[in-house]
Amino acid sequence: MNSVGEACTELKREYDQCFNRWFAEKFLKGESDGDPCGQLFKRYQLCVQKAIKEKDIPIEGLEFMGPSKGKAEDSS
């Protein structure tokens, strides 16, 4: 799947490959040490944010998950 910004598609592919490799080779085997794909994710995230602004995509009212967000509040 392509990214929201054409310029971000290659970064998305690189991040997806890194994450999938880490998930299969480390996380599923109980080795969840560190965040080997964090820098790739940050670069991709910045690219997507720029593309959203350039395309004037309205994002008001949307909640985003990510390292800067706290735990979700309990809705019960």
Side-chain angles (χ1 to χ4, degrees):
M1 176 185 283
N2 289 339
S3 181
V4 67
E6 187 175 319
C8 306
T9 298
E10 182 62 21
L11 286 171
K12 179 185 185 311
R13 186 189 65 75
E14 289 176 30
Y15 171 72
D16 286 347
Q17 283 182 339
C18 180
F19 177 83
N20 290 335
R21 184 172 40 251
W22 169 80
F23 187 78
E25 296 175 5
K26 301 289 184 177
F27 183 79
L28 291 178
K29 295 176 181 174
E31 303 172 26
S32 59
D33 56 328
D35 184 7
C37 307
Q39 289 299 92
L40 280 173
F41 177 76
K42 287 177 186 176
R43 288 176 42 215
Y44 173 58
Q45 184 181 42
L46 289 172
C47 187
V48 168
Q49 289 170 347
K50 181 180 175 187
I52 287 171
K53 286 180 184 177
E54 288 174 352
K55 293 180 181 223
D56 237 0
I57 298 172
I59 58 171
E60 293 79 26
L62 295 179
E63 292 184 32
F64 292 93
M65 293 176 58
S68 63
K69 293 289 182 185
K71 290 185 177 180
E73 293 181 20
D74 189 357
S75 59
S76 54

